[in-house]
């Protein structure tokens, strides 16, 4: 006989821990596979943005490649060509391109 599928005996109640155990397990799995890695990526990105230096090659969220010409508190000046400079918010910078090899 399968005792797991049987209804509880009259007068007995189900254990609250076993009732909420699947929900608790789902929350733990979401934390370790989704929330924690995302927090780690955000922390690394914040550390990267704080460590930007003049001359770093970067890419913005809009896909603009350039070199950091000047750094202010909330924005950077990005040199995209010889005579072209753009003022970009620091939160728009996503990558350091100095370690990427150009593709042909």
């Amino acid at each position: 006989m399968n005792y797991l599928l049987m209804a509880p005996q009259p007068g007995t109640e189900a254990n609250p821990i076993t009732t909420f155990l699947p929900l608790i397990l789902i929350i733990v799995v979401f934390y370790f596979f989704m929330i924690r890695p995302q927090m780690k990526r955000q922390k690394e990105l914040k550390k990267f943005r704080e460590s930007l230096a003049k001359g770093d090659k970067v890419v913005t969220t809009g896909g603009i490649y350039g070199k950091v010409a000047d750094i202010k508190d909330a924005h950077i000046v990005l040199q995209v060509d010889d005579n072209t400079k753009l003022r970009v918010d620091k939160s728009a910078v996503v990558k350091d391109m100095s370690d990427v090899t150009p593709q042909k």
Side-chain angles (χ1 to χ4, degrees):
M1 236 188 217
N2 194 349
Y3 293 103
L4 295 175
L5 298 176
M6 291 178 56
Q9 296 293 328
T12 61
E13 295 181 15
N15 190 353
I17 293 175
T18 59
T19 306
F20 291 112
L21 189 63
L23 181 62
I24 293 169
L25 288 175
I26 290 172
I27 291 171
V28 169
V29 167
F30 267 102
Y31 176 76
F32 280 107
F33 288 107
M34 296 182 79
I35 298 170
R36 190 168 173 241
Q38 180 66 25
M39 289 178 9
K40 184 178 176 184
R41 276 193 299 270
Q42 286 176 345
K43 188 183 285 187
E44 289 173 358
L45 190 58
K46 182 180 177 185
K47 185 177 177 182
F48 164 71
R49 288 176 180 155
E50 290 173 352
S51 69
L52 281 174
K54 198 172 186 178
D56 287 349
K57 293 181 180 179
V58 296
V59 177
T60 66
T61 55
I64 299 172
Y65 290 73
K67 187 169 37 170
V68 177
D70 192 20
I71 301 173
K72 302 290 183 193
D73 289 336
H75 68 274
I76 62 171
V77 176
L78 194 64
Q79 182 176 358
V80 293
D81 201 12
D82 291 334
N83 297 324
T84 308
K85 293 182 179 179
L86 300 172
R87 187 171 60 176
V88 179
D89 194 39
K90 273 189 179 180
S91 64
V93 178
V94 290
K95 288 187 193 174
D96 181 11
M97 296 305 296
S98 61
D99 57 347
V100 176
T101 58
Q103 296 179 354
K104 295 181 181 178

